[in-house]
Amino acid sequence: MRIIRGAVGCLALGLAAMGCGDSGQAREERSARHEGRLSGETGSAPREFTWAGGKLFFTAEDSLHGRELWVSDGTGGGTRLVEDLVTGGHGYFPEKLTAANGVLFFVLGNGSYTDSTLWRSDGTAGGTWPLHSASTAPSRNFAVKEFVSAGGTLFLSARTESFGDFEVWKSDGTPEGTVLVKDILPWDNADIQLVDAVNGTLFFIANDGEGGRALWKSDGTAEGTVLLKRISEYLDSPLYDKAAVGGLLYFITNGSDSSTRALWKTDGTPEGTVHVTEVLSSPFSWSEDHFQLTAMGDALFFASYTGDPGIELWKSDGTAEGTGMLTDIYPSGWSEPQGLRAANGVLYFTAWSHETGREMWKSDGTAEGTVRITDFPGDSLGPQCFMVGVDARRAYFGVFNLGSSQVQLWRTDGTAEGTVLLRSFPLGGVDAGLQGSSAFRGDTFFFHADDGTGLQTWKTDGTPEGTVPLRDVTSGTTLR
């Protein structure tokens, strides 16, 4: 009987906040309040690391402002509050951070898309303001549900007083450039669901009232926003997963019956929008539909239930005959690959076996090239690895043991000599806050951890000595 499935819960994350940019006594009082708040046990719970215009944006909390928008140049001294957007909090906060054409877009809401407004920011207070179409009055009635970045354009599903239902809009970061692309179903709900963008083309699902939910595409013009293919029998529920691979969009929908899921691909043409194959739907709720579609080169990788072998690693070249289990990692059980990430032509993930526990693995896309990287001592009750993130060349992962008081952060380039322990953290709730939002710029990887002073943001250059917090909140020292 499987003792541990290997799923590591995500915890609240934290960041040490900086000063607030004003001066005099107010600045001193504000800084003191920041220090008191951030040296506590909870930290500031940063979320949604997003690079835009060469700056790292995220949201974080402090005792003075609540959850607000922050920006960083990657140093402690260069990490600051952008602006106090909602004085006192009042339940509203920035969310859905997305970059397009060097501009950060986000919505300011209360977690509900029915009461949210679109904003933009360049990282300065003067360049941060609510963004409405030039044809609509600035109000809460420009509600945003979701958005997707396609090249230099932000596509969004939004509604206004003039259009009571959600339609496809686009924005270049200016009021004049925030416009309705097309009203798919006038005077009714088109049930818009944005999917993804590939090579500047937006793919989305909509119902034009003539045949149920269908796949559409848009180049940002009304004329170029067209129905791609009617596959309503497969689109009667939201998509389970999607990924852009080699200029194609892959997505997983409901299958032909309740026991299957269908893999599709599209190149943006009706004839190139095809049903690739169907896979079994897992009968277990804890593993249902966790496909984790991941691109590496021109191939698609994912985890799928296969019946007797259980959940294993699959690969697809976009054809039915070229889609299948890459290798049976754990022949006598379920390896349940998790945390699939690609970096520098290597697919990294964790996999489980009763004999080894959950270890780090890598794959070059071949069965013989799919091998275990780590070999920590112990069986299923021993080491448990979990993915933290990747940069352009390496993977970062955490390791904990049942009964241990610490969690270790490691990095690997897929080789034994390139697999290095970076730092140990006190065990907090399983993962010491390591899991969650992460980002990298060049050779610097940003992550979250709690070293006993509260959850905050750390950075590493891949060396133990270069693994440091952005700010030491215990001493108040800023680390550069």
Side-chain angles (χ1 to χ4, degrees), residues 181-259:
V181 175
K182 189 169 186 174
D183 189 354
I184 303 294
L185 185 58
W187 311 112
D188 206 346
N189 184 9
D191 197 14
I192 301 292
Q193 179 189 356
L194 304 187
V195 179
D196 209 342
V198 181
N199 295 334
T201 298
L202 171 73
F203 293 91
F204 65 99
I205 296 170
N207 185 348
D208 63 359
E210 297 184 9
R213 286 159 59 89
L215 186 65
W216 289 63
K217 70 173 183 178
S218 177
D219 63 1
T221 67
E223 302 76 24
T225 302
V226 297
L227 185 147
L228 189 54
K229 196 162 190 174
R230 294 194 184 278
I231 51 174
S232 57
E233 65 273 24
Y234 291 95
L235 297 177
D236 57 355
S237 69
L239 301 188
Y240 294 105
D241 206 352
K242 43 81 176 177
V245 184
L248 304 175
L249 175 67
Y250 286 83
F251 55 97
I252 292 182
T253 70
N254 279 336
S256 57
D257 58 52
S258 61
S259 67

Side-chain angles (χ1 to χ4, degrees), residues 49 51 56 72-75 79 388-389 396 434 436-448 457-460 470:
F49 279 13
W51 285 100
L56 180 64
S72 177
D73 63 1
T75 68
T79 302
V388 175
Y396 295 83
L434 286 170
S437 180
S438 63
F440 72 92
R441 193 70 163 182
D443 288 332
T444 303
F445 181 75
F446 297 86
F447 63 99
H448 304 83
T457 292
W458 289 61
K459 65 179 181 179
T460 180
L470 277 182

